[in-house]
Amino acid sequence: MGVLEKISEIEAEMARTQRNKATAHHLGLLKARLAKLRRELLTPKSGGGGPGEGFDVAKTGDARIGFVGFPSVGKSTLLTNLAGVYSEVAAYEFTTLTTVPGVIRYKGAKVQLLDLPGIIEGAKDGKGRGRQVIAVARTCSLIFIVLDVLKPLHHKRLIEHELEGFGIRLNKDPPNIGFRKKEKGGINLTSTVTQSLMDADMVKAILAEYKIHNADVTLRMDASEDDLIDTIEGNRVYMPCIYVLNKIDQISIEELDIIYKVPHCVPISAHHKWNFDDLLEKMWTYLRLVRIYTKPKGQLPDYESPVVLHSGHQTVEDLCNQLHKSIMKDFKNALVWGSSVKHNPQKVGKDHFLNDEDVVQIIKKV
């Protein structure tokens, strides 16, 4: 019996099991088993077969955005009109067969856009080129899920299901669960919050499914079995996502008003280039990039080409390492102008946190 048959068997069993207190334990075990089988699908055990046709694209720029969607929803048209890169467009499905890259400059940052081939239902089980498409999607900083405005909800649910199957979690934070394997001492479970979904037996059963019998588990949130499985697997990617609803030229104004209220959504028309500014603005918010302007001594700051740092990695040390690895050896301190300091300029050390659009002058040891 192959992995796919096992997966479909477990999914069928989960579908026909009613969820209540008596079956919660059993469902948790099934979920853990399913996650293990999915991982097997992603990383096949045998190393046979030569290298296939190159699918991934070299990473350039400060951030990377992948366009994911079903065939013929307008991904290529959107890329062509945003980046001026020609990706073949036709009225039939599966026009794009490999990854087509494009680059746009926005607010001083270089953003790489990837037009990925259309994925089909069952991509996570290896249908179509789904596995490669989603493997490239895992390397992106932000995902645009492009949907046809006339059939959005059905498609949205299917794509989310495919991406979840590949360990990509959209618009979610990593679960606040501490997990540490140890040599002996059994399972030690502590929870700082009241748990409504899991008890100690269920945690032990899920860990036993992974053949883990000695571990410290700290639940700092009301966690579900999915959160625990994600923490144990440890290969999940948490990334922001924007739902791009294309072809709004085919609906009425009233419908458009309703669509605007959906969270993480931007309605556009790729063909007529409507509402692109709103899409780019939302893209910038979700990427959470920090622009730092450098200032050579005795000169004006260079406002043309900022150094772009990622949110969370925005200290003066990160800035120095981005400029050149050798700077930190001679680093003395830095002068900063901007919203991250109280006085302009202010002397700071290497651990100072920088804000967007700060101006920095690095002073070296003499």
Side-chain angles (χ1 to χ4, degrees), residues 45-97:
K45 283 180 181 143
S46 63
E53 182 194 341
F55 200 80
D56 201 355
V57 175
K59 208 167 188 172
T60 59
D62 303 303
R64 189 179 209 188
I65 298 178
F67 291 26
V68 176
F70 280 94
S72 292
V73 289
K75 297 190 293 298
S76 298
T77 313
L78 180 59
L79 178 78
T80 306
N81 287 341
L82 268 179
V85 176
Y86 186 67
S87 175
E88 198 177 329
V89 180
Y92 54 85
E93 306 210 327
F94 295 109
T95 322
T96 309
L97 294 172

Side-chain angles (χ1 to χ4, degrees), residues 72 176 222 230 251 273-274 284-285 343:
S72 292
N176 196 351
D222 188 2
D230 283 354
I251 57 168
K273 302 187 185 180
W274 292 348
W284 183 256
T285 313
H343 321 289

